[in-house]
Amino acid sequence: MIKGLIFDLDGVIVDTAKYHFLAWKSLAEELGIPFSIADNERLKGVSRMASLEIILELGQKSFLPEQKEELCTRKNDLYLTYIHQMKREEIFPGVREFIENAKREGYLISLGSSSANAGLILDKLQIRELFDAIVDGTVVAIAKPEPDIFMKGAELLGLPCRQCIVFEDSVAGIEAAHRAGMAAVGIGTKELLPEADIHLSGYLDITIEKLINDIRRYK
Ligand code: BG6
Ligand code: MG
């Protein structure tokens, strides 16, 4: 029986994925590396350094470890300029209500994000109080596709992994959920997230009961 819902943040609760893309794109341009929206799918969910490694591999460039640290810092500084301007209204339509309804039904809610900036974004959106547990890149440094972030979320909720489901927009995150033994709701299309157990394009007109029934039916 499902008792816990674990939500990724970037691309699941708010479209910060586009700000990650814009910041990486600008860094890639400086380095003379072509970087497309399609390439960006591989960066979703994975750590900041793993993202840089993917971009450097695309451009067949190599840097010393301290230079890579500096590039990551520059990307993050640029990313934060977008985040500081972000408005509370940028939260995806219906997600706050969906979580509030699930809480009223007795489900426990955790955040499960690879980002070290998650706390700032939760505060910008004023949704910190929605979560019974918060697991982000400052709590668990081992990013997706490793299952550690979601396993920690279940542990903090006091639930076995099999009683949790994950909401994810990234290929790495769907893999992490499955490796943790959890069903994965893909926020996005079947084409982008072929391994997700079920797909949602948004949170309007869906209830947690219907979603859980649908997962059982389709599995
Ligand atoms: C994930 C994003 O949520 O967090 C990734 O999908 C990002 O694109 C990762 O690399 C780490 O985020 P941050 O904010 O610590 O650089
Ligand atoms: Mg995401």
Side-chain angles (χ1 to χ4, degrees), residues 8-12 14 16-17 44-45 112-113 144 167-170:
D8 174 45
L9 177 64
D10 296 319
V12 165
V14 59
T16 35
K44 290 185 177 174
S113 166
K144 303 162 193 173
F167 293 73
E168 255 297 342
D169 70 316
S170 70

Side-chain angles (χ1 to χ4, degrees), residues 50-161:
S51 300
L52 176 67
E53 302 278 8
I54 291 170
I55 291 174
L56 295 181
E57 183 200 302
L58 286 170
Q60 299 188 326
K61 304 231 183 228
S62 57
F63 286 95
L64 295 170
E66 56 270 28
Q67 293 173 312
K68 290 198 274 190
E69 286 298 341
E70 196 261 332
L71 289 171
C72 279
T73 302
R74 270 170 51 206
K75 180 270 172 176
N76 196 51
D77 289 347
L78 186 52
Y79 175 67
L80 287 177
T81 63
Y82 293 114
I83 298 306
H84 286 302
Q85 293 169 47
M86 199 170 81
K87 301 275 178 296
R88 183 177 185 237
E89 296 69 40
E90 287 184 47
I91 190 166
F92 282 146
V95 67
R96 183 195 303 270
E97 295 75 13
F98 178 83
I99 295 177
E100 282 169 351
N101 284 335
K103 281 170 82 78
R104 270 194 292 276
E105 298 291 325
Y107 292 93
L108 294 174
I109 313 292
S110 176
L111 190 79
S113 166
S114 296
S115 174
N117 298 305
L120 173 65
I121 296 167
L122 293 182
D123 289 340
K124 274 269 170 191
L125 299 175
Q126 298 172 25
I127 54 169
R128 200 180 266 272
E129 78 292 346
L130 287 182
F131 296 90
D132 299 295
I134 292 178
V135 182
D136 64 17
T138 67
V139 176
V140 174
I142 308 167
K144 303 162 193 173
E146 299 299 324
D148 304 55
I149 288 174
F150 296 140
M151 290 167 77
K152 185 72 182 174
E155 182 195 321
L156 291 181
L157 294 180
L159 296 172
C161 287

